[in-house]
Amino acid sequence: MASMNEPVETAEPSRVWAAAVEILRCIEPGFDFSLVEKVFTDVVRLFRGEYPGYRKIRTPYHDLTHTLDVFVCAVRLLHGARVAGHALSQEDITRGLVAALFHDIGYAQEDVEDSGTGAQYTPVHVQRGIGFMGRYLAAKGISLESIHAIACIMLATDHRQGFSSVTFPDEHTALVGRLVGTADLVGQMADRQYLEKLLFLYFEFREAQVGDFGSMQELLRRTGDFYQTTRKRLDEEFGGAHQLLTQHFKAYSNVERNFYMESIAKNLDYLDQVIRQDEADYLSMLKRGGIAEQALEMARSAGYV
């Protein structure tokens, strides 16, 4: 996430982990990283196709970088919450980080699931992820109480249901749910390549038969409306938790700014320019990472253009 203050290269998991450890030590110098580190390592293995019994995760938008973006944002929000005086315990923080790492693991396919990219599970991926998380943590002797709390936090990232429909075991868990739900939205929309990556999201939606987007350009045109809905969710359902990022940056970097929300604003401003272009020209404005070229080739291969 090169646009963030104190940039973290989320394409390199070792750098993400090192940054997370540094921030978490600001929260609590004696933080016990053992469970989070194990989950972090195994989630990376799952995405790379190195986890026994599972295929490499192939969803083009919901990839490892997305999960690491959300994880880093969750770490920062948890730090901001502590700075703001919220009495989150080490266990609360651990549960939030585990939930952030597992929040999209429902896209993973077992070896026997050989059709599609995993995007076909979009409507149920949170529930699938909760199932994986429960089996994984139970095998490590984690209590049912913790597994239930983490499941509730993961449900906060299911944008098809309202936050109020989740029955949290206590207010601390509900707060962590707001933070992780916020990280899922803010972390992806602040990515400097967010607009380009929306082209990949179009293919996931087509595979899942979600929405009625007739083209990649139409998805981009409707992203502004999506953000208005998202902003309402951030401000109302999640209680404006994104403001805690300002607390994090002020305490951690001595800069009183919210680099995430600033980056989102820049993305939306540029989106306004992109969607004014004719269909033949809009892709020429999406230049980062060679993503537009990849998406166009994917569209041609699928017969969409």
Side-chain angles (χ1 to χ4, degrees):
M1 176 98 43
S3 63
M4 297 297 98
N5 191 40
E6 303 293 336
V8 176
E9 179 50 69
T10 49
E12 178 46 62
S14 63
R15 294 186 182 180
V16 172
W17 180 250
V21 167
E22 185 173 305
I23 295 170
L24 289 168
R25 282 181 175 151
C26 292
I27 299 175
E28 194 161 326
F31 194 90
D32 180 1
F33 297 97
S34 55
L35 178 60
V36 180
E37 184 172 19
K38 179 59 177 171
V39 172
F40 184 95
T41 299
D42 283 339
V43 165
V44 171
R45 292 172 67 207
L46 269 161
F47 273 96
R48 290 177 170 174
E50 300 167 356
Y51 194 86
Y54 283 83
R55 300 161 59 89
K56 178 181 179 179
I57 297 179
R58 296 177 293 159
T59 40
Y61 181 88
H62 291 96
D63 59 1
L64 177 59
T65 297
H66 166 73
T67 286
L68 296 181
D69 281 343
V70 173
F71 175 69
V72 170
C73 189
V75 171
R76 287 173 160 153
L77 281 163
L78 287 160
H79 176 240
R82 266 292 193 88
V83 171
H86 294 285
L88 295 175
S89 68
Q90 185 170 161
E91 185 172 39
D92 293 327
I93 293 166
T94 295
R95 289 172 177 176
L97 296 178
V98 169
L101 288 166
F102 277 139
H103 85 282
D104 276 341
I105 216 64
Y107 288 109
Q109 296 171 283
E110 296 183 40
D111 286 339
V112 297
E113 298 175 291
D114 57 1
S115 64
T117 67
Q120 67 267 36
Y121 302 123
T122 295
V124 295
H125 78 278
V126 176
Q127 290 293 343
R128 279 172 57 91
I130 288 171
F132 179 94
M133 176 276 297
R135 295 188 297 273
Y136 176 95
L137 293 181
K140 298 191 180 310
I142 303 302
S143 70
L144 290 177
E145 178 186 2
S146 284
I147 291 172
H148 173 67
I150 293 167
C152 290
I153 296 167
M154 290 174 67
L155 284 172
T157 71
D158 189 347
H159 308 304
R160 288 168 179 77
Q161 68 174 51
F163 182 80
S164 61
S165 68
V166 182
T167 303
F168 290 94
D170 53 64
E171 185 50 42
H172 281 188
T173 305
L175 172 59
V176 175
R178 292 186 187 95
L179 299 179
V180 173
T182 297
D184 184 29
L185 293 170
V186 171
Q188 62 184 294
M189 295 190 76
D191 186 342
R192 291 182 72 246
Q193 295 183 345
Y194 173 65
L195 300 181
E196 285 82 0
K197 289 179 178 179
L198 286 175
L199 305 178
F200 285 158
L201 186 61
Y202 166 75
F203 294 97
E204 290 191 18
F205 284 165
R206 285 289 296 253
E207 184 175 344
Q209 299 182 356
V210 171
D212 57 350
F213 303 103
S215 66
M216 294 183 286
Q217 187 184 34
E218 184 179 352
L219 187 149
L220 289 170
R221 288 187 182 281
R222 289 164 60 180
T223 294
D225 291 338
F226 167 75
Y227 179 68
Q228 294 307 314
T229 301
T230 297
R231 186 59 191 256
K232 184 175 181 180
R233 186 174 176 89
L234 289 171
D235 290 340
E236 297 181 7
E237 291 192 58
F238 296 151
H242 57 86
Q243 298 171 33
L244 294 171
L245 289 163
T246 304
Q247 300 274 5
H248 158 72
F249 285 114
K250 181 179 180 181
Y252 186 68
S253 303
N254 199 30
V255 180
E256 194 168 358
R257 290 171 60 184
N258 191 326
F259 290 93
Y260 279 84
M261 301 308 288
E262 290 177 18
S263 185
I264 290 173
K266 290 177 183 177
N267 282 339
L268 293 173
D269 285 346
Y270 193 69
L271 175 64
D272 284 341
Q273 300 177 46
V274 173
I275 62 178
R276 291 195 199 108
Q277 305 302 310
D278 293 334
E279 186 169 1
D281 299 326
Y282 78 98
L283 287 177
S284 66
M285 298 190 67
L286 301 174
K287 302 175 181 178
R288 290 172 173 152
I291 294 172
E293 291 80 3
Q294 295 176 55
L296 186 57
E297 182 57 36
M298 290 167 66
R300 287 171 177 156
S301 298
Y304 296 160
V305 295

